[in-house]
Amino acid sequence: KILRKLRRYRFNKVPYSLDSRFKMDYTSIEFDEKDWHYKNEGGENVILGYKGSNSLLRGKVLRLMKKTLKKHPKNINSNLSFQRNWIGNHIGHQFLASGEEVHLESSFIKALDEKIKKDRPPHRVVDPLDWSLSCGLLMPDLTWFSFLDENESNSKRVYTIEIKPKWGDVSNSIFTPKINKVKKETCKYCMQQFLKKKKGDAEHLSEYCPLDLFSGRADRINKAIEGLMKQPQNNFKVYAGGDLIYAGALGGGHASSKGDVIELDEKLRGLSSPNEDPLDSLKEILVSILESPQLLPKLKTLQNMDSIGIEAAYYLHKGDESVEIENRGSLTSYTPEKKKELLDNFMVAAAAKDCSIMITLVPLEKSGDIQKRRERGDFGLIERKNLDYLYRVSIVDFEPKSIESMSTWYKQDQQIVQCFLEQNIQKDCTSSTNNVVDDLSKSKPIVPN
């Protein structure tokens, strides 16, 4: 049914670049904590929305780093350069939404930290805002469309879908040890589900597999989106009118009011015409955008810059001879320059595996001025039978990782594989059908030799 509907679309792939908008001078602006409100957060940053009257800040969000135990680069300008190089030059400048560094008073950040405590999920409050940095990142609000005037903003809803796709492939490294050979057919995300459930971080196993999303096939992409909708965890969020309306318990929101597909169906009524199912409409629109060769295949190329795997990367970084790897001789024979190149590529891939994709949609009634609206900004356009949609796609959270996290990554990876092997099940993520059933625990058992 969905595939038949997709054939009726006329889809113009013209994403919108937000990077060029940030050429303004914000040095004279006084930042007041009363004008900002809690919007969302991840592991290392908090996102604040603007509700004040300054036209220069309208349509912006402020991203502030948290004080965590993790070691990570805290030079905002170097992070922006990293994004412009890897996203801009290797995926496309139209997907950039990097923003601009702004100086902030420590007292402002402290006041914000106190103000938003009541709005943050309990498990996040342990990491306060890091006011020692005295700076933040001013970014476009990707839950908002700048071309809408005040009246239109009041009468039309803007919908934004955030997807954290994770790694869209399995390990192809010649250094992966035989004991971990399962990594060559089962992706890290699917294996990690069992560890999450064991630790109590996830109540149910997700049916989402990143290899479906990255497959380039409409049917598999649709299956991936359905899996994300059923168990969003921290990989799928939906915003309406700038407010988070759907997320899993791990997604930065309060679990008590998020993660109900029935509730999402009701809140998406404005996305489709009255005679259409909102969830089906959303899936169809997302499939039509994500099957484009302009985004996911290029992101996967950056993810696969990791050609050696975590075991070899950890060995090169730490020189730990106890690490089990295959073809150790080949690895040790590389020159220092080659080893550095392999590690650098591994770190770029780590950023690409952990970024998010933001898709912003505005449904518009069929009218003669739709083309004029589109010409006012380089937005993508999807034309359907009853409604048209302007959209943009942006990549966020594509930031350099600290190599000091290598030990943590290695230990976590070994735990993920060990927990999965203990389940005594088989799941081939590389298969065109992906062996996905209603419950991953029903995957066929491995028959011992």
Side-chain angles (χ1 to χ4, degrees):
K1 177 183 175 183
I2 289 175
L3 294 177
R4 286 199 303 271
K5 288 183 178 180
L6 283 173
R7 295 188 186 102
R8 297 203 297 267
Y9 285 9
R10 185 155 62 86
F11 178 42
N12 300 287
K13 301 180 177 67
V14 189
Y16 173 51
S17 172
L18 294 153
D19 195 47
S20 60
R21 292 170 53 202
F22 282 82
K23 304 299 179 186
M24 300 178 185
D25 183 8
Y26 298 99
T27 55
S28 61
I29 293 177
E30 182 176 344
F31 286 81
D32 188 333
E33 71 274 7
K34 294 191 295 292
D35 295 333
W36 299 88
H37 63 96
Y38 177 83
K39 198 172 181 72
N40 197 13
E41 67 182 284
E44 298 186 14
N45 299 282
V46 173
I47 305 296
L48 300 155
Y50 182 71
K51 59 180 181 181
S53 58
N54 192 314
S55 60
L56 288 179
L57 295 177
R58 193 172 298 128
K60 309 292 191 297
V61 294
L62 186 62
R63 192 175 77 164
L64 300 176
M65 289 185 179
K66 298 191 288 189
K67 189 181 295 182
T68 68
L69 296 177
K70 294 180 180 179
K71 297 179 180 179
H72 52 82
K74 295 199 174 185
N75 185 318
I76 290 179
N77 281 321
S78 68
N79 289 0
L80 294 177
S81 297
F82 181 85
Q83 293 168 14
R84 292 183 180 116
N85 176 35
W86 291 105
I87 298 177
N89 296 335
H90 297 269
I91 301 179
H93 288 278
Q94 68 268 32
F95 299 112
L96 277 169
S98 53
E100 182 173 309
E101 181 178 7
V102 290
H103 174 75
L104 302 169
E105 297 294 335
S106 296
S107 57
F108 166 72
I109 301 177
K110 285 182 180 179
L112 270 178
D113 186 49
E114 189 64 31
K115 176 185 177 181
I116 66 175
K117 276 183 180 178
K118 66 182 186 302
D119 301 315
R120 299 177 64 191
H123 71 286
R124 297 289 194 185
V125 180
V126 293
D127 296 323
L129 297 178
D130 190 348
W131 57 79
S132 67
L133 297 177
S134 298
C135 62
L137 185 64
L138 197 62
M139 302 175 63
D141 186 346
L142 299 177
T143 66
W144 190 107
F145 253 108
S146 61
F147 76 91
L148 293 175
D149 59 32
E150 287 296 321
N151 292 330
E152 289 178 311
S153 295
N154 291 333
S155 63
K156 299 184 187 299
R157 302 208 75 180
V158 179
Y159 298 89
T160 303
I161 294 82
E162 179 179 351
I163 297 174
K164 185 181 281 292
K166 307 306 286 187
W167 186 15
D169 209 344
V170 295
S171 175
N172 291 308
S173 170
I174 63 170
F175 306 112
T176 299
K178 290 179 180 179
I179 192 173
N180 290 347
K181 65 180 181 179
V182 66
K183 294 167 69 172
K184 292 184 178 292
E185 67 174 27
T186 308
C187 75
K188 180 179 178 180
Y189 182 89
C190 289
M191 284 194 287
Q192 191 170 10
Q193 287 299 302
F194 294 92
L195 183 61
K196 282 186 175 182
K197 189 173 182 182
K198 181 179 180 180
K199 289 183 173 181
D201 294 334
E203 185 177 355
H204 302 287
L205 300 173
S206 173
E207 295 175 21
Y208 167 67
C209 176
L211 273 72
D212 285 330
L213 191 73
F214 283 83
S215 67
R217 284 177 37 183
D219 58 335
R220 291 185 66 183
I221 296 172
N222 180 69
K223 182 166 62 177
I225 295 168
E226 285 184 342
L228 288 168
M229 284 183 173
K230 290 178 182 177
Q231 294 295 332
Q233 296 186 7
N234 65 334
N235 300 95
F236 187 79
K237 302 177 187 179
V238 181
Y239 302 81
D243 297 323
L244 180 65
I245 64 168
Y246 189 71
L250 300 175
H254 295 281
S256 59
S257 60
K258 309 293 187 296
D260 186 336
V261 177
I262 298 175
E263 180 182 329
L264 176 61
D265 183 80
E266 290 298 320
K267 292 183 176 181
L268 287 177
R269 288 294 168 186
L271 181 69
S272 60
S273 59
N275 61 340
E276 292 182 299
D277 181 274
L279 293 179
D280 282 346
S281 295
L282 178 59
K283 284 185 284 188
E284 293 161 13
I285 292 167
L286 292 179
V287 169
S288 68
I289 293 172
L290 293 172
E291 68 177 344
S292 162
Q294 299 181 28
L295 177 59
L296 290 178
K298 294 180 180 180
L299 178 59
K300 183 176 176 179
T301 297
L302 293 186
Q303 294 178 343
N304 284 342
M305 286 180 66
D306 167 18
S307 62
I308 57 176
I310 181 62
E311 294 91 352
Y314 178 71
Y315 175 78
L316 288 179
H317 177 59
K318 289 291 189 178
D320 186 346
E321 294 295 335
S322 67
V323 179
E324 287 194 54
I325 54 175
E326 293 297 306
N327 301 297
R328 188 184 301 265
S330 297
L331 194 61
T332 56
S333 68
Y334 290 141
T335 64
E337 292 77 18
K338 180 62 176 178
K339 291 177 181 178
K340 181 180 184 304
E341 178 189 339
L342 291 171
L343 276 178
D344 287 346
N345 288 347
F346 179 90
M347 297 305 294
V348 172
K353 293 173 184 178
D354 202 38
C355 69
S356 292
I357 297 169
M358 303 285 284
I359 300 171
T360 311
L361 302 165
V362 179
L364 297 170
E365 297 292 339
K366 289 285 187 180
S367 64
D369 68 346
I370 183 71
Q371 191 62 28
K372 292 180 182 178
R373 289 176 181 268
R374 183 167 167 254
E375 288 170 357
R376 287 165 59 186
D378 276 339
F379 305 103
L381 172 65
I382 296 177
E383 296 183 59
R384 298 182 67 208
K385 183 178 180 180
N386 299 309
L387 289 174
D388 293 324
Y389 298 83
L390 292 184
Y391 78 94
R392 65 169 173 244
V393 182
S394 306
I395 297 174
V396 297
D397 298 333
F398 192 108
E399 297 180 339
K401 303 291 185 180
S402 170
I403 200 167
E404 298 306 315
S405 299
M406 189 73 75
S407 297
T408 301
W409 296 341
Y410 174 73
K411 291 176 184 177
Q412 182 195 54
D413 185 82
Q414 300 309 297
Q415 290 175 351
I416 290 170
V417 174
Q418 181 59 38
C419 183
F420 180 74
L421 291 176
E422 289 171 358
Q423 310 307 310
N424 195 35
I425 67 170
Q426 182 177 348
K427 183 175 189 297
D428 187 358
C429 297
T430 64
S431 166
S432 60
T433 58
N434 201 0
N435 283 354
V436 174
V437 290
D438 291 340
D439 186 333
L440 284 183
S441 63
K442 296 178 184 176
S443 298
K444 61 183 181 181
I446 297 174
V447 179
N449 294 327

